Every structure is written in structure tokens, then in C-alpha cells.
Amino acid sequence: MKLSDEIINSLSINLRKKINNIKNQSINIEEIRLRVNKPLIINGDSQDYFYNDINGDLDLVMRNPYIVTKEDIEDTFQIICKYSVHSFMDDIKKGFITLRGGHRIGIVGKVIIENGQVKNIKHISSLNIRVSREIKGCSKKSITTYNQK
């Protein structure tokens, strides 16, 4: 599955190159998991794949994994926020930012709480990009189930 430009252009230049160079493109990518000092994981077709940094393939077994750096996370976060973190503060407080096209990026970091409310998230250590997609007929099953009760 070819990822949308909204997702590709939201990644750091380093990660963008890696994702664009994935050789086995037949996988329907559902999530991209970025965690500082952990392997780059691509979830697709309900399986977790590790990005093989030597050959650019996605492997079910971790071989030559690309390890996500703090800079990868920081650069991606800045791009997602269009280099204006304060203008995305309401979304950041909720723990995610929504990109055009409905793609959501979950944010993990140190939460600052003031008066029982989330004030900020600092020291971002993980980003989880969830790819929006159409699931045809998904409501039909629930309507049938509801009518059977």
C-alpha cells in the first residue's frame, strides 16, 4: 500500500527515505511505530514488521533493525506541528494530533498536570502513526447484531 503524502511528508527526512524505500510494498500499512532507541516497527495486515536497515525490507523477525533516534522523533514532531508546537497545544493535551486525511499520531512523553488537567506533554519519546482507511461494510455487521438482540 502506498502511504499518503500527508503521512510521508510528516516524517523526518531520515524516516521519509526509509519508508519510501520499503521494497515489499504489498503490505497494507496500518501503523508506523516510532520509539526512541527502539526498532522502527511497521504494522500491516495485522502483523508487526521490523524495518531491515540493510536491505530496506520489512521482516517479521528482527534482523538489522533501524533503531529510531531521539532526533527522528523530535524532527517528526516538529514537522507534524508545522514547527509551531504551541499552536497544536490543545491536540497535544489530548495525546494525539490528527493529520489531514484523518490519520492520527499518538504522542507519548512526560505529562505535565496542573489542577488535575493536562497542561502539556514534554520530552516526547514515542509517536504512533495510525493510517486512516476505509473499511467497506463495517457498519452492516453491527446493524445486524443490533437487530438480533
Side-chain angles (χ1 to χ4, degrees):
M1 171 183 158
K2 177 134 173 59
L3 287 172
S4 70
D5 289 341
E6 287 84 10
I7 292 175
I8 296 294
N9 294 331
S10 295
L11 298 169
S12 68
I13 292 171
N14 183 38
L15 292 172
R16 197 176 303 169
K17 287 178 188 174
K18 294 184 183 311
I19 298 298
N20 275 329
N21 290 329
I22 293 173
K23 292 182 180 167
N24 44 353
Q25 291 284 336
S26 62
I27 296 168
N28 290 313
I29 297 174
E30 298 165 9
E31 290 184 0
I32 301 171
R33 298 186 187 137
L34 309 174
R35 298 173 297 162
V36 174
N37 298 323
K38 301 286 183 186
L40 170 59
I41 296 176
I42 309 292
N43 180 280
D45 298 330
S46 301
Q47 296 188 76
D48 287 342
Y49 294 88
F50 298 94
Y51 179 83
N52 185 319
D53 205 27
I54 301 296
N55 63 19
D57 278 339
L58 296 179
D59 295 327
L60 289 170
V61 178
M62 188 169 36
R63 287 186 288 257
N64 307 308
Y66 175 74
I67 303 300
V68 176
T69 66
K70 184 177 179 184
E71 291 76 25
D72 289 329
I73 299 283
E74 289 172 354
D75 292 350
T76 299
F77 186 66
Q78 287 295 323
I79 293 167
I80 290 165
C81 294
K82 298 179 172 115
Y83 300 96
S84 181
V85 173
H86 71 278
S87 64
F88 282 83
M89 199 53 67
D90 288 340
D91 290 336
I92 293 168
K93 289 178 189 178
K94 294 176 193 170
F96 65 90
I97 294 173
T98 303
L99 297 177
R100 198 172 122 183
H103 313 290
R104 282 193 172 180
I105 302 175
I107 304 165
V108 177
K110 182 178 180 180
V111 176
I112 310 299
I113 297 178
E114 189 176 277
N115 299 323
Q117 300 286 330
V118 175
K119 182 178 179 186
N120 197 357
I121 299 176
K122 297 174 111 181
H123 309 292
I124 307 299
S125 61
S126 177
L127 297 170
N128 188 48
I129 302 168
R130 294 189 185 124
V131 179
S132 70
R133 58 193 163 90
E134 179 182 23
I135 302 174
K136 293 184 179 185
C138 68
S139 64
K140 289 180 184 177
K141 185 176 181 182
S142 61
I143 290 172
T144 304
T145 305
Y146 180 77
N147 288 336
Q148 290 176 352
K149 290 184 180 179

